[in-house]
Amino acid sequence: MTLSPSPAPVRTDAPSAGGPTPEPAPSGTAPAPSSLRVLARQLVATFPEAVRKLDPRHVWRSPVVFVVWVGSLLTTVVAVIDPTWFAWSITLWLWATVLFANMAEAVAEGRGKAQAATLRATRTTTTAQRRRADRSLETVAASELTIGDVVVVRPGEVIPGDGDVIEGMATVDESAITGESAPVIRESGGDRSAVTGGTTVLSDGITVRITTKPGETFIDRMIALVEGAARQKTPNEIALTILLTTLTIIFVLAVMAIQPLAVYSGQEQSVVVLVALLVCLIPTTIGALLSAIGIAGMDRLVQHNVLAMSGRAVEAAGDVSTLLLDKTGTITFGNRRATELLAAPGLGDSEVTEAAYLSSLADETPEGRSIVELAAADLSDETRSRFDDVRRQGATFVEFTAQTRMSGVDLPDGTAVRKGASDAVCRWVSDHGGDVPQGVLTEVNGIASAGGTPLVVASAPAGGQPRVLGVEHLKDVVKPGMKERFAQLRAMGIRTVMITGDNPLTAKSIAQEAGVDDFLAEATPEDKMALIKKEQEGGRLVAMTGDGTNDAPALAQSDVGVAMNTGTSAAKEAANMVDLDSDPTKLIDIVSIGKQLLITRGALTTFSIANDIAKYFAIIPAMFVVLFPGLDALNVMGLSTPQSAMLSAVIFNALIIVALIPLSLRGVRYRPAGSTALLRRNILVYGVGGVIAPFIGIKLIDLVVSHLPL
């Protein structure tokens, strides 16, 4: 007979073990055929939206793409007035460049709209039982509820709006919001009082005070965010847009200066050629993908069930240098667990094991269940079966009380078994004429000094003197994989600080075992605020998690504050991110997503600027080779004709946008490393690669277009 308790059917938002998440497939490799088919379907599906985005009122938001749009318009006019194969070919591929840029954004938005449709499907037109001042109930539409209204929700009913439980306790199905099928417990008071509109009460009943206005619930905010309607450009994105705009203006002036020189040299260039040169020189690739990269970053957060209140928070997560994590429930399991049973001097292990098992049979606390699990591993099936029948045989279980600080069992034969706080059990033994071995006291002091919790086990036969049988060692167990994750953060250059209300001795022990860089013991809300401000004084960005009202000031002060969805409304309002899964270890994933966003943007910017080099060797010799035959030496690609060289460069400029859409959506793979190593890899892969790829691509395209009647 196996004594290990079966998993409880209801989760209470205990965080997961927090092991390292699987790394995505390397972004530098080509997508699998299935991925290519998915992308092709997405491009086809978003084609009408991309055409609608040709509206100049939309295009002007991206200065680089707007310049291409204006150039396309000019070449269209020229092609209509003086139609040639060359003019129309350049014109069509310039419009394709604008269209592909719009497609990149439309595909990113399309993902969000698909998620939004799923979220909308979870919303139903619900009614609410609103409580009047005289405590009677009235039925109203959920859309009529306002902040402060009190509603009663019964089993099977949908919670009509976001709020806090003020009365009762219930199990709630939140799968529509979090995707987690296991129901969760929501109860008044504490840090599990928040409920989300659109979720369903499964059992019991609760009274909820509404804390949001209609249209401002978490579901509404998630829909707005994933659709891109509420996405604002981040400071980094704005700065990059300014840089791209500046480069574009410089190239516009440079191209404008070429025509007078060409006229003077007797080689006047057509508008089509000048526009083709301009479009190939300006950073069209990153200009076309910049918006898609930002939208995809928000999308990745939503896929992790994290609601970001602003793009600034996502970006800040990528630059975080200090991470504050609560010990209980984040670094450790949150409940003390039995790790070893130590027999008293002169006694065998079997006696303390049997006594620990018997005294904890009726203990339903996590600590008690862990003792049963630990002891059961060393007992035979026959012994466990015999002990499991003691209740039926007339045994009396003694529950733990604050006064006695002990629990245990009185067996039918008169034997009493007790376990509890060391001083309480030792006093019980002494009061009944027994002795406490010095070796047991030594073990107790050793466990306590190491930050653990010692429980003493004793037994007394009927009419006989009690004996101390041994000590149970309880400790706050660090989750598996946490040490490795902190090592990853250290490799990223991020300093980790554990925050706990434990005494310094216990905090130090847990910090060493978990592998964090520092800890703050006996922390108060004021201590947390002071620590955050101290870290920020050095110019560092700070991230932290929290769920209680006492965490709200620190969440508001931190650069990246992640509140648990199970937490209080005050914590969620103070934070700039909300984790719908209420998994505090997810802060580590948020940092990785933020860094991936920044690295993706930087990598594609490097690639975009680097691949312009090949275009210089394609277009500039083609423009003036007739006048200056010596320029043919720059035609290192051996392009067929000046017209085919220009058209090949324009076609490559358009197609590279489509080729990079999967990378901009998936993101460049992030490997924890220092900034120097990341910069070196960025330059080698996307800098050198950005130089080489166009030489190959333009040459291959030229082999095809050289057969056209240009």
Side-chain angles (χ1 to χ4, degrees):
M1 176 177 178
T2 303
L3 200 73
S4 302
S6 58
V10 177
R11 74 178 175 95
T12 57
D13 295 292
S16 61
T21 55
E23 288 189 336
S27 300
T29 59
S34 58
S35 300
L36 289 174
R37 286 195 294 269
V38 170
L39 176 62
R41 286 197 297 268
Q42 289 176 332
L43 291 175
V44 172
T46 56
F47 181 80
E49 180 65 21
V51 173
R52 282 193 292 270
K53 288 179 179 289
L54 291 174
D55 186 333
R57 291 172 297 182
H58 172 81
V59 178
W60 75 269
R61 298 173 186 173
S62 174
V64 178
V65 178
F66 181 68
V67 168
V68 181
W69 184 90
V70 172
S72 305
L73 198 60
L74 286 175
T75 57
T76 302
V77 173
V78 172
V80 170
I81 296 174
D82 184 17
T84 63
W85 271 98
F86 177 70
W88 275 113
S89 298
I90 293 291
T91 298
L92 290 175
W93 279 103
L94 289 180
W95 280 117
T97 302
V98 180
L99 197 64
F100 292 157
N102 291 342
M103 277 186 172
E105 184 178 34
V107 169
E109 290 178 347
R111 286 183 167 192
K113 289 178 180 179
Q115 289 179 326
T118 303
L119 289 171
R120 282 197 178 95
T122 67
R123 298 194 307 182
T124 56
T125 303
T126 59
T127 58
Q129 299 297 313
R130 183 167 60 187
R131 194 163 68 186
R132 298 189 181 98
D134 61 359
R135 300 187 72 82
S136 62
L137 300 179
E138 60 176 340
T139 302
V140 299
S143 58
E144 296 180 17
L145 297 174
T146 60
I147 296 176
D149 282 348
V150 175
V151 297
V152 175
V153 189
R154 301 183 179 92
E157 295 180 348
V158 175
I159 297 173
D162 294 353
D164 291 326
V165 179
I166 58 175
E167 294 177 13
M169 179 177 70
T171 53
V172 179
D173 178 8
E174 293 186 346
S175 58
I177 308 299
T178 66
E180 171 60 60
S181 59
V184 298
I185 291 176
R186 294 291 175 262
E187 57 187 341
S188 59
D191 294 336
R192 296 206 306 268
S193 61
V195 291
T196 305
T199 58
T200 305
V201 173
L202 299 180
S203 67
D204 305 293
I206 51 176
T207 302
V208 178
R209 178 179 288 113
I210 302 298
T211 57
T212 58
K213 298 177 182 177
E216 296 181 3
T217 64
F218 274 112
I219 292 183
D220 294 312
R221 291 158 82 176
M222 282 186 70
I223 290 173
L225 282 169
V226 298
E227 285 186 322
R231 195 188 81 87
Q232 301 295 323
K233 285 188 176 182
T234 64
N236 183 280
E237 191 174 347
I238 293 172
L240 187 54
T241 301
I242 294 173
L243 172 63
L244 298 180
T245 303
T246 303
L247 289 175
T248 301
I249 293 173
I250 291 173
F251 283 120
V252 167
L253 296 175
V255 171
M256 289 174 62
I258 287 177
Q259 185 69 322
L261 295 175
V263 172
Y264 178 78
S265 303
Q267 187 74 23
E268 182 177 353
Q269 301 296 323
S270 68
V271 172
V272 174
V273 171
L274 292 174
V275 170
L277 173 63
L278 175 62
V279 170
C280 289
L281 293 183
I282 62 178
T284 50
T285 306
I286 185 60
L289 298 174
L290 188 58
S291 179
I293 294 170
I295 294 172
M298 299 287 287
D299 176 63
R300 281 192 291 273
L301 269 182
V302 173
Q303 289 175 1
H304 280 72
N305 277 342
V306 177
L307 180 62
M309 307 304 180
S310 69
R312 182 186 296 268
V314 185
E315 200 167 89
D319 286 329
V320 161
S321 55
T322 303
L323 201 57
L324 307 184
L325 300 121
D326 185 49
K327 176 190 73 94
T328 305
T330 303
I331 296 174
T332 66
F333 282 103
N335 297 312
R336 296 170 302 171
R337 295 189 173 192
T339 58
E340 59 180 337
L341 301 174
L342 304 171
L347 296 181
D349 292 337
S350 60
E351 291 188 69
V352 67
T353 301
E354 293 178 359
Y357 186 91
L358 282 169
S359 61
S360 301
L361 273 178
D363 189 346
E364 293 301 323
T365 65
E367 292 85 353
R369 289 196 296 269
S370 74
I371 294 172
V372 170
E373 291 178 9
L374 182 64
D378 293 329
L379 296 177
S380 65
D381 292 343
E382 180 184 351
T383 302
R384 288 200 304 271
S385 177
R386 176 166 49 87
F387 285 169
D388 290 342
D389 288 337
V390 295
R391 189 191 301 272
R392 185 175 52 81
Q393 295 168 0
T396 303
F397 288 98
V398 179
E399 295 184 359
F400 176 89
T401 66
Q403 290 75 30
T404 63
R405 294 190 297 147
M406 291 188 302
S407 61
V409 61
D410 292 332
L411 299 176
D413 63 1
T415 301
V417 183
R418 297 289 184 269
K419 80 167 191 321
S422 57
D423 58 337
V425 175
C426 289
R427 190 182 308 111
W428 178 76
V429 171
S430 299
D431 291 346
H432 289 79
D435 294 324
V436 179
Q438 184 60 40
V440 169
L441 297 178
T442 302
E443 292 287 0
V444 167
N445 292 333
I447 293 172
S449 62
T453 301
L455 296 182
V456 174
V457 183
S459 68
Q465 291 183 343
R467 295 184 304 158
V468 173
L469 303 178
V471 183
E472 300 169 346
H473 183 181
L474 301 183
K475 62 180 296 186
D476 205 352
V477 179
V478 174
K479 295 178 180 178
M482 291 306 297
K483 196 162 190 174
E484 290 76 11
R485 302 202 80 177
F486 290 138
Q488 289 179 353
L489 289 170
R490 198 172 295 110
M492 297 180 196
I494 297 175
R495 177 171 169 266
T496 53
V497 181
M498 182 186 76
I499 300 176
T500 177
D502 288 340
N503 63 73
L505 197 62
T506 302
K508 181 179 180 180
S509 174
I510 295 295
Q512 289 176 342
E513 184 177 352
V516 295
D517 298 311
D518 202 354
F519 65 90
L520 177 66
E522 298 178 343
T524 64
E526 292 78 13
D527 294 333
K528 296 177 187 178
M529 282 284 290
L531 177 60
I532 292 174
K533 290 180 179 179
K534 180 181 177 182
E535 293 289 332
Q536 291 172 332
E537 284 175 1
R540 293 180 290 269
L541 298 186
V542 179
M544 79 161 288
T545 60
D547 55 6
T549 301
N550 64 334
D551 292 323
L555 287 170
Q557 179 66 35
S558 58
D559 300 285
V560 179
V562 183
M564 303 297 101
N565 193 35
T566 56
T568 61
S569 297
K572 289 189 284 188
E573 289 298 322
N576 50 26
M577 290 188 187
V578 176
D579 177 16
L580 300 178
D581 289 334
S582 298
D583 178 4
T585 62
K586 196 178 290 182
L587 182 55
I588 300 173
D589 297 320
I590 292 172
V591 171
S592 296
I593 291 172
K595 285 189 175 293
Q596 187 182 39
L597 172 64
L598 295 178
I599 290 173
T600 302
R601 194 178 289 155
L604 293 184
T605 300
T606 303
F607 184 90
S608 177
I609 295 174
N611 70 21
D612 286 342
I613 295 175
K615 300 169 193 173
Y616 304 153
F617 287 91
I619 293 184
I620 294 178
M623 291 175 65
F624 298 104
V625 70
V626 175
L627 186 62
F628 304 107
L631 287 176
D632 191 54
L634 296 178
N635 184 16
V636 295
M637 289 177 278
L639 304 179
S640 303
T641 65
Q643 290 80 10
S644 71
M646 294 180 193
L647 181 57
S648 298
V650 171
I651 293 175
F652 177 84
N653 199 60
L655 293 181
I656 196 64
I657 295 173
V658 178
L660 291 176
I661 288 177
L663 183 60
S664 66
L665 297 180
R666 184 175 60 244
V668 174
R669 182 179 182 181
Y670 172 68
R671 294 183 178 90
S675 56
T676 303
L678 290 174
L679 178 61
R680 187 186 303 114
R681 178 176 180 271
N682 188 41
I683 292 175
L684 287 175
V685 176
Y686 298 98
V688 177
V691 172
I692 296 174
F695 279 93
I696 300 173
I698 292 174
K699 177 59 180 178
L700 292 175
I701 295 171
D702 178 74
L703 294 175
V704 176
V705 302
S706 61
H707 300 289
L708 300 177
L710 299 175

